[in-house]
Amino acid sequence: MIITDIKEADIYQVLEIYRPYITDTRITFEYEAPDLETFTERVRHYTEQFPWLVAKDGKKVRGYSYASVYRGRLAYQWDCELSVYVDRDCRGQGIGKRLYTKLLEILTRQGYYNAYGVIALPNENSVRLHENLGFKLEGVQKNSGFKAGKWVDVAFYTKALRTFDTPLKAPVPYPELLKDHPFK
């Protein structure tokens, strides 16, 4: 299993991993799976600033993780929100932990200070992953989203990535970081 940057050729497999989370769970609050073109544009947009990683077993994508904007206001630019999804047939093999560990390493190098995990409850696997990686529960928003006929609570987990000094500059966009520090 290798962890690498997403390639355009991986996007279809990534969407197929994501699709059952949309259609069969309350883990994501999307109601309908995006089409491939829309999802490809989403990946392109996110990767202008953030890493989007895939775990591959040969040519088969087994999981993925990415970061995105936490909140839109400028004062939040040192924060990011993380997501991770693992193929249903591959859960419990440590893929999510490997993806998140590498993602956190890159985000730290980019200059981010806080990483947030936003978890629709119940989701024991995601809670355990975040807690095992040192995230702390900040709170739970009750009845935060409505999906599949039920109100869903959302837990907010946070992890500090560095000492809270005065930032000298905004986080480096991921493609720019790759120019000086190739992915390893």
mmCIF file of all heavy atoms in Angstrom, residues 47-82:
data_model
loop_
_atom_site.group_PDB
_atom_site.id
_atom_site.type_symbol
_atom_site.label_atom_id
_atom_site.label_comp_id
_atom_site.label_asym_id
_atom_site.label_seq_id
_atom_site.Cartn_x
_atom_site.Cartn_y
_atom_site.Cartn_z
ATOM 1 N N THR A 47 -7.317 21.021 -4.547
ATOM 2 C CA THR A 47 -5.864 20.821 -4.667
ATOM 3 C C THR A 47 -5.121 22.070 -5.135
ATOM 4 O O THR A 47 -3.901 22.047 -5.237
ATOM 5 C CB THR A 47 -5.547 19.629 -5.594
ATOM 6 O OG1 THR A 47 -6.155 19.828 -6.872
ATOM 7 C CG2 THR A 47 -6.022 18.322 -4.976
ATOM 8 N N GLU A 48 -5.833 23.158 -5.365
ATOM 9 C CA GLU A 48 -5.148 24.428 -5.612
ATOM 10 C C GLU A 48 -4.455 24.913 -4.340
ATOM 11 O O GLU A 48 -3.474 25.640 -4.401
ATOM 12 C CB GLU A 48 -6.144 25.491 -6.090
ATOM 13 C CG GLU A 48 -6.654 25.247 -7.482
ATOM 14 C CD GLU A 48 -7.759 26.204 -7.887
ATOM 15 O OE1 GLU A 48 -8.146 27.087 -7.074
ATOM 16 O OE2 GLU A 48 -8.254 26.073 -9.019
ATOM 17 N N GLN A 49 -4.954 24.498 -3.179
ATOM 18 C CA GLN A 49 -4.389 24.915 -1.896
ATOM 19 C C GLN A 49 -3.952 23.737 -1.027
ATOM 20 O O GLN A 49 -2.968 23.826 -0.311
ATOM 21 C CB GLN A 49 -5.405 25.761 -1.121
ATOM 22 C CG GLN A 49 -4.931 26.209 0.261
ATOM 23 C CD GLN A 49 -3.738 27.153 0.217
ATOM 24 O OE1 GLN A 49 -3.578 27.928 -0.726
ATOM 25 N NE2 GLN A 49 -2.880 27.097 1.226
ATOM 26 N N PHE A 50 -4.673 22.639 -1.085
ATOM 27 C CA PHE A 50 -4.508 21.558 -0.120
ATOM 28 C C PHE A 50 -4.086 20.238 -0.772
ATOM 29 O O PHE A 50 -4.376 20.000 -1.935
ATOM 30 C CB PHE A 50 -5.832 21.306 0.613
ATOM 31 C CG PHE A 50 -6.319 22.476 1.405
ATOM 32 C CD1 PHE A 50 -7.289 23.325 0.892
ATOM 33 C CD2 PHE A 50 -5.797 22.737 2.656
ATOM 34 C CE1 PHE A 50 -7.742 24.403 1.623
ATOM 35 C CE2 PHE A 50 -6.246 23.821 3.399
ATOM 36 C CZ PHE A 50 -7.222 24.655 2.885
ATOM 37 N N PRO A 51 -3.475 19.348 0.023
ATOM 38 C CA PRO A 51 -3.203 17.995 -0.479
ATOM 39 C C PRO A 51 -4.490 17.171 -0.532
ATOM 40 O O PRO A 51 -5.409 17.370 0.269
ATOM 41 C CB PRO A 51 -2.238 17.417 0.559
ATOM 42 C CG PRO A 51 -2.317 18.283 1.745
ATOM 43 C CD PRO A 51 -2.929 19.580 1.357
ATOM 44 N N TRP A 52 -4.535 16.268 -1.490
ATOM 45 C CA TRP A 52 -5.585 15.238 -1.585
ATOM 46 C C TRP A 52 -4.829 13.950 -1.849
ATOM 47 O O TRP A 52 -4.226 13.783 -2.898
ATOM 48 C CB TRP A 52 -6.547 15.549 -2.721
ATOM 49 C CG TRP A 52 -7.775 14.680 -2.741
ATOM 50 C CD1 TRP A 52 -7.819 13.317 -2.687
ATOM 51 C CD2 TRP A 52 -9.135 15.113 -2.835
ATOM 52 N NE1 TRP A 52 -9.109 12.869 -2.759
ATOM 53 C CE2 TRP A 52 -9.954 13.954 -2.842
ATOM 54 C CE3 TRP A 52 -9.740 16.356 -2.925
ATOM 55 C CZ2 TRP A 52 -11.327 14.016 -2.936
ATOM 56 C CZ3 TRP A 52 -11.120 16.403 -3.009
ATOM 57 C CH2 TRP A 52 -11.898 15.252 -3.000
ATOM 58 N N LEU A 53 -4.815 13.069 -0.871
ATOM 59 C CA LEU A 53 -4.003 11.861 -0.914
ATOM 60 C C LEU A 53 -4.855 10.626 -1.162
ATOM 61 O O LEU A 53 -6.020 10.584 -0.752
ATOM 62 C CB LEU A 53 -3.247 11.692 0.402
ATOM 63 C CG LEU A 53 -2.422 12.887 0.873
ATOM 64 C CD1 LEU A 53 -1.801 12.599 2.235
ATOM 65 C CD2 LEU A 53 -1.363 13.254 -0.154
ATOM 66 N N VAL A 54 -4.249 9.637 -1.795
ATOM 67 C CA VAL A 54 -4.911 8.351 -1.997
ATOM 68 C C VAL A 54 -3.999 7.240 -1.486
ATOM 69 O O VAL A 54 -2.776 7.342 -1.553
ATOM 70 C CB VAL A 54 -5.276 8.103 -3.475
ATOM 71 C CG1 VAL A 54 -6.348 9.077 -3.943
ATOM 72 C CG2 VAL A 54 -4.065 8.158 -4.384
ATOM 73 N N ALA A 55 -4.624 6.196 -0.969
ATOM 74 C CA ALA A 55 -3.912 4.972 -0.593
ATOM 75 C C ALA A 55 -4.172 3.975 -1.706
ATOM 76 O O ALA A 55 -5.336 3.687 -2.021
ATOM 77 C CB ALA A 55 -4.429 4.433 0.737
ATOM 78 N N LYS A 56 -3.085 3.485 -2.311
ATOM 79 C CA LYS A 56 -3.226 2.585 -3.454
ATOM 80 C C LYS A 56 -2.553 1.248 -3.183
ATOM 81 O O LYS A 56 -1.467 1.196 -2.630
ATOM 82 C CB LYS A 56 -2.618 3.225 -4.702
ATOM 83 C CG LYS A 56 -3.365 4.447 -5.161
ATOM 84 C CD LYS A 56 -2.717 5.081 -6.364
ATOM 85 C CE LYS A 56 -3.339 4.529 -7.614
ATOM 86 N NZ LYS A 56 -2.908 5.268 -8.812
ATOM 87 N N ASP A 57 -3.259 0.218 -3.600
ATOM 88 C CA ASP A 57 -2.754 -1.140 -3.580
ATOM 89 C C ASP A 57 -2.624 -1.525 -5.050
ATOM 90 O O ASP A 57 -3.613 -1.886 -5.683
ATOM 91 C CB ASP A 57 -3.757 -2.025 -2.842
ATOM 92 C CG ASP A 57 -3.320 -3.462 -2.735
ATOM 93 O OD1 ASP A 57 -2.173 -3.767 -3.103
ATOM 94 O OD2 ASP A 57 -4.139 -4.278 -2.288
ATOM 95 N N GLY A 58 -1.417 -1.378 -5.590
ATOM 96 C CA GLY A 58 -1.249 -1.508 -7.038
ATOM 97 C C GLY A 58 -1.926 -0.329 -7.708
ATOM 98 O O GLY A 58 -1.666 0.821 -7.374
ATOM 99 N N LYS A 59 -2.846 -0.599 -8.596
ATOM 100 C CA LYS A 59 -3.587 0.475 -9.264
ATOM 101 C C LYS A 59 -4.933 0.741 -8.602
ATOM 102 O O LYS A 59 -5.668 1.635 -9.007
ATOM 103 C CB LYS A 59 -3.801 0.130 -10.739
ATOM 104 C CG LYS A 59 -2.515 0.129 -11.529
ATOM 105 C CD LYS A 59 -2.778 -0.088 -12.993
ATOM 106 C CE LYS A 59 -1.455 -0.046 -13.747
ATOM 107 N NZ LYS A 59 -1.642 -0.120 -15.179
ATOM 108 N N LYS A 60 -5.269 -0.028 -7.572
ATOM 109 C CA LYS A 60 -6.570 0.084 -6.914
ATOM 110 C C LYS A 60 -6.504 1.070 -5.751
ATOM 111 O O LYS A 60 -5.692 0.931 -4.833
ATOM 112 C CB LYS A 60 -6.995 -1.299 -6.408
ATOM 113 C CG LYS A 60 -8.323 -1.324 -5.735
ATOM 114 C CD LYS A 60 -9.448 -1.224 -6.728
ATOM 115 C CE LYS A 60 -10.780 -1.403 -6.019
ATOM 116 N NZ LYS A 60 -11.900 -0.869 -6.743
ATOM 117 N N VAL A 61 -7.370 2.099 -5.781
ATOM 118 C CA VAL A 61 -7.476 3.064 -4.689
ATOM 119 C C VAL A 61 -8.286 2.418 -3.575
ATOM 120 O O VAL A 61 -9.390 1.924 -3.798
ATOM 121 C CB VAL A 61 -8.137 4.380 -5.158
ATOM 122 C CG1 VAL A 61 -8.330 5.324 -3.986
ATOM 123 C CG2 VAL A 61 -7.306 5.034 -6.256
ATOM 124 N N ARG A 62 -7.727 2.418 -2.359
ATOM 125 C CA ARG A 62 -8.384 1.800 -1.203
ATOM 126 C C ARG A 62 -8.921 2.809 -0.201
ATOM 127 O O ARG A 62 -9.702 2.474 0.681
ATOM 128 C CB ARG A 62 -7.414 0.859 -0.484
ATOM 129 C CG ARG A 62 -6.884 -0.254 -1.363
ATOM 130 C CD ARG A 62 -7.988 -1.138 -1.852
ATOM 131 N NE ARG A 62 -7.449 -2.299 -2.573
ATOM 132 C CZ ARG A 62 -8.195 -3.256 -3.056
ATOM 133 N NH1 ARG A 62 -9.499 -3.214 -2.922
ATOM 134 N NH2 ARG A 62 -7.645 -4.259 -3.697
ATOM 135 N N GLY A 63 -8.465 4.066 -0.329
ATOM 136 C CA GLY A 63 -8.934 5.114 0.561
ATOM 137 C C GLY A 63 -8.353 6.439 0.130
ATOM 138 O O GLY A 63 -7.449 6.488 -0.711
ATOM 139 N N TYR A 64 -8.877 7.504 0.716
ATOM 140 C CA TYR A 64 -8.358 8.827 0.393
ATOM 141 C C TYR A 64 -8.608 9.789 1.545
ATOM 142 O O TYR A 64 -9.460 9.556 2.397
ATOM 143 C CB TYR A 64 -8.972 9.366 -0.905
ATOM 144 C CG TYR A 64 -10.447 9.684 -0.839
ATOM 145 C CD1 TYR A 64 -10.884 10.983 -0.580
ATOM 146 C CD2 TYR A 64 -11.411 8.702 -1.037
ATOM 147 C CE1 TYR A 64 -12.236 11.282 -0.520
ATOM 148 C CE2 TYR A 64 -12.757 8.993 -0.989
ATOM 149 C CZ TYR A 64 -13.165 10.295 -0.733
ATOM 150 O OH TYR A 64 -14.507 10.587 -0.673
ATOM 151 N N SER A 65 -7.817 10.842 1.576
ATOM 152 C CA SER A 65 -7.995 11.908 2.555
ATOM 153 C C SER A 65 -7.615 13.225 1.903
ATOM 154 O O SER A 65 -6.802 13.264 0.970
ATOM 155 C CB SER A 65 -7.150 11.667 3.813
ATOM 156 O OG SER A 65 -5.781 11.749 3.508
ATOM 157 N N TYR A 66 -8.198 14.281 2.414
ATOM 158 C CA TYR A 66 -7.903 15.610 1.885
ATOM 159 C C TYR A 66 -8.200 16.648 2.948
ATOM 160 O O TYR A 66 -8.850 16.372 3.953
ATOM 161 C CB TYR A 66 -8.707 15.889 0.609
ATOM 162 C CG TYR A 66 -10.203 15.939 0.809
ATOM 163 C CD1 TYR A 66 -10.851 17.156 1.063
ATOM 164 C CD2 TYR A 66 -10.970 14.777 0.752
ATOM 165 C CE1 TYR A 66 -12.227 17.190 1.244
ATOM 166 C CE2 TYR A 66 -12.338 14.820 0.935
ATOM 167 C CZ TYR A 66 -12.966 16.032 1.178
ATOM 168 O OH TYR A 66 -14.317 16.070 1.370
ATOM 169 N N ALA A 67 -7.708 17.843 2.698
ATOM 170 C CA ALA A 67 -7.996 18.980 3.564
ATOM 171 C C ALA A 67 -8.752 20.014 2.752
ATOM 172 O O ALA A 67 -8.672 20.041 1.522
ATOM 173 C CB ALA A 67 -6.703 19.571 4.123
ATOM 174 N N SER A 68 -9.466 20.857 3.461
ATOM 175 C CA SER A 68 -10.225 21.922 2.814
ATOM 176 C C SER A 68 -10.295 23.119 3.759
ATOM 177 O O SER A 68 -9.873 23.046 4.919
ATOM 178 C CB SER A 68 -11.628 21.435 2.443
ATOM 179 O OG SER A 68 -12.334 21.003 3.589
ATOM 180 N N VAL A 69 -10.854 24.197 3.256
ATOM 181 C CA VAL A 69 -11.022 25.413 4.048
ATOM 182 C C VAL A 69 -11.939 25.107 5.230
ATOM 183 O O VAL A 69 -12.995 24.488 5.063
ATOM 184 C CB VAL A 69 -11.624 26.541 3.174
ATOM 185 C CG1 VAL A 69 -12.013 27.738 4.021
ATOM 186 C CG2 VAL A 69 -10.654 26.928 2.073
ATOM 187 N N TYR A 70 -11.541 25.550 6.414
ATOM 188 C CA TYR A 70 -12.379 25.343 7.594
ATOM 189 C C TYR A 70 -13.499 26.379 7.629
ATOM 190 O O TYR A 70 -14.662 26.043 7.779
ATOM 191 C CB TYR A 70 -11.539 25.388 8.872
ATOM 192 C CG TYR A 70 -12.369 25.342 10.124
ATOM 193 C CD1 TYR A 70 -13.115 24.213 10.436
ATOM 194 C CD2 TYR A 70 -12.438 26.430 10.985
ATOM 195 C CE1 TYR A 70 -13.912 24.168 11.573
ATOM 196 C CE2 TYR A 70 -13.216 26.386 12.123
ATOM 197 C CZ TYR A 70 -13.952 25.261 12.413
ATOM 198 O OH TYR A 70 -14.729 25.217 13.527
ATOM 199 N N ARG A 71 -13.153 27.635 7.531
ATOM 200 C CA ARG A 71 -14.115 28.739 7.479
ATOM 201 C C ARG A 71 -13.565 29.764 6.501
ATOM 202 O O ARG A 71 -12.361 29.852 6.296
ATOM 203 C CB ARG A 71 -14.279 29.394 8.855
ATOM 204 C CG ARG A 71 -14.683 28.484 10.004
ATOM 205 C CD ARG A 71 -16.156 28.165 10.085
ATOM 206 N NE ARG A 71 -17.007 29.313 10.123
ATOM 207 C CZ ARG A 71 -17.710 29.720 11.170
ATOM 208 N NH1 ARG A 71 -17.638 29.062 12.290
ATOM 209 N NH2 ARG A 71 -18.495 30.765 11.093
ATOM 210 N N GLY A 72 -14.432 30.565 5.924
ATOM 211 C CA GLY A 72 -14.038 31.453 4.844
ATOM 212 C C GLY A 72 -13.368 32.764 5.224
ATOM 213 O O GLY A 72 -12.702 33.364 4.398
ATOM 214 N N ARG A 73 -13.503 33.224 6.431
ATOM 215 C CA ARG A 73 -12.930 34.510 6.822
ATOM 216 C C ARG A 73 -11.404 34.422 6.908
ATOM 217 O O ARG A 73 -10.839 33.392 7.259
ATOM 218 C CB ARG A 73 -13.482 34.969 8.159
ATOM 219 C CG ARG A 73 -14.991 35.103 8.191
ATOM 220 C CD ARG A 73 -15.412 36.467 7.693
ATOM 221 N NE ARG A 73 -16.797 36.717 8.011
ATOM 222 C CZ ARG A 73 -17.763 36.805 7.115
ATOM 223 N NH1 ARG A 73 -17.487 36.635 5.838
ATOM 224 N NH2 ARG A 73 -18.989 37.053 7.482
ATOM 225 N N LEU A 74 -10.739 35.531 6.613
ATOM 226 C CA LEU A 74 -9.284 35.566 6.515
ATOM 227 C C LEU A 74 -8.579 35.124 7.802
ATOM 228 O O LEU A 74 -7.547 34.460 7.746
ATOM 229 C CB LEU A 74 -8.826 36.978 6.120
ATOM 230 C CG LEU A 74 -7.385 37.101 5.655
ATOM 231 C CD1 LEU A 74 -7.099 36.171 4.486
ATOM 232 C CD2 LEU A 74 -7.088 38.542 5.271
ATOM 233 N N ALA A 75 -9.136 35.441 8.952
ATOM 234 C CA ALA A 75 -8.493 35.073 10.217
ATOM 235 C C ALA A 75 -8.426 33.558 10.421
ATOM 236 O O ALA A 75 -7.649 33.080 11.247
ATOM 237 C CB ALA A 75 -9.217 35.723 11.393
ATOM 238 N N TYR A 76 -9.219 32.807 9.662
ATOM 239 C CA TYR A 76 -9.207 31.345 9.748
ATOM 240 C C TYR A 76 -8.225 30.694 8.776
ATOM 241 O O TYR A 76 -8.172 29.466 8.680
ATOM 242 C CB TYR A 76 -10.600 30.777 9.433
ATOM 243 C CG TYR A 76 -11.657 31.061 10.463
ATOM 244 C CD1 TYR A 76 -12.677 31.958 10.187
ATOM 245 C CD2 TYR A 76 -11.661 30.404 11.686
ATOM 246 C CE1 TYR A 76 -13.684 32.196 11.109
ATOM 247 C CE2 TYR A 76 -12.654 30.645 12.621
ATOM 248 C CZ TYR A 76 -13.670 31.541 12.324
ATOM 249 O OH TYR A 76 -14.656 31.778 13.237
ATOM 250 N N GLN A 77 -7.450 31.476 8.044
ATOM 251 C CA GLN A 77 -6.611 30.906 6.978
ATOM 252 C C GLN A 77 -5.566 29.906 7.476
ATOM 253 O O GLN A 77 -5.023 29.136 6.680
ATOM 254 C CB GLN A 77 -5.933 32.016 6.178
ATOM 255 C CG GLN A 77 -4.882 32.799 6.947
ATOM 256 C CD GLN A 77 -4.315 33.937 6.128
ATOM 257 O OE1 GLN A 77 -3.871 33.705 5.012
ATOM 258 N NE2 GLN A 77 -4.339 35.138 6.676
ATOM 259 N N TRP A 78 -5.291 29.885 8.765
ATOM 260 C CA TRP A 78 -4.309 28.934 9.313
ATOM 261 C C TRP A 78 -4.970 27.655 9.822
ATOM 262 O O TRP A 78 -4.330 26.806 10.421
ATOM 263 C CB TRP A 78 -3.497 29.594 10.417
ATOM 264 C CG TRP A 78 -2.636 30.699 9.870
ATOM 265 C CD1 TRP A 78 -1.422 30.555 9.248
ATOM 266 C CD2 TRP A 78 -2.945 32.089 9.834
ATOM 267 N NE1 TRP A 78 -0.968 31.777 8.831
ATOM 268 C CE2 TRP A 78 -1.877 32.751 9.178
ATOM 269 C CE3 TRP A 78 -4.020 32.857 10.281
ATOM 270 C CZ2 TRP A 78 -1.856 34.119 8.973
ATOM 271 C CZ3 TRP A 78 -3.994 34.218 10.070
ATOM 272 C CH2 TRP A 78 -2.915 34.834 9.418
ATOM 273 N N ASP A 79 -6.262 27.518 9.582
ATOM 274 C CA ASP A 79 -7.036 26.350 9.991
ATOM 275 C C ASP A 79 -7.462 25.567 8.759
ATOM 276 O O ASP A 79 -7.643 26.140 7.684
ATOM 277 C CB ASP A 79 -8.304 26.772 10.740
ATOM 278 C CG ASP A 79 -8.019 27.594 11.977
ATOM 279 O OD1 ASP A 79 -6.914 27.486 12.535
ATOM 280 O OD2 ASP A 79 -8.916 28.359 12.388
ATOM 281 N N CYS A 80 -7.672 24.281 8.927
ATOM 282 C CA CYS A 80 -8.180 23.459 7.827
ATOM 283 C C CYS A 80 -9.043 22.339 8.390
ATOM 284 O O CYS A 80 -8.898 21.945 9.542
ATOM 285 C CB CYS A 80 -7.044 22.898 6.986
ATOM 286 S SG CYS A 80 -5.814 21.979 7.912
ATOM 287 N N GLU A 81 -9.947 21.861 7.553
ATOM 288 C CA GLU A 81 -10.809 20.745 7.909
ATOM 289 C C GLU A 81 -10.353 19.520 7.145
ATOM 290 O O GLU A 81 -10.028 19.608 5.960
ATOM 291 C CB GLU A 81 -12.266 21.070 7.560
ATOM 292 C CG GLU A 81 -13.228 19.993 7.987
ATOM 293 C CD GLU A 81 -14.679 20.367 7.730
ATOM 294 O OE1 GLU A 81 -15.021 21.559 7.755
ATOM 295 O OE2 GLU A 81 -15.474 19.425 7.506
ATOM 296 N N LEU A 82 -10.326 18.384 7.805
ATOM 297 C CA LEU A 82 -9.846 17.141 7.199
ATOM 298 C C LEU A 82 -10.986 16.168 6.956
ATOM 299 O O LEU A 82 -11.968 16.159 7.700
ATOM 300 C CB LEU A 82 -8.834 16.462 8.120
ATOM 301 C CG LEU A 82 -7.404 16.988 8.127
ATOM 302 C CD1 LEU A 82 -7.316 18.461 8.389
ATOM 303 C CD2 LEU A 82 -6.571 16.225 9.115
#
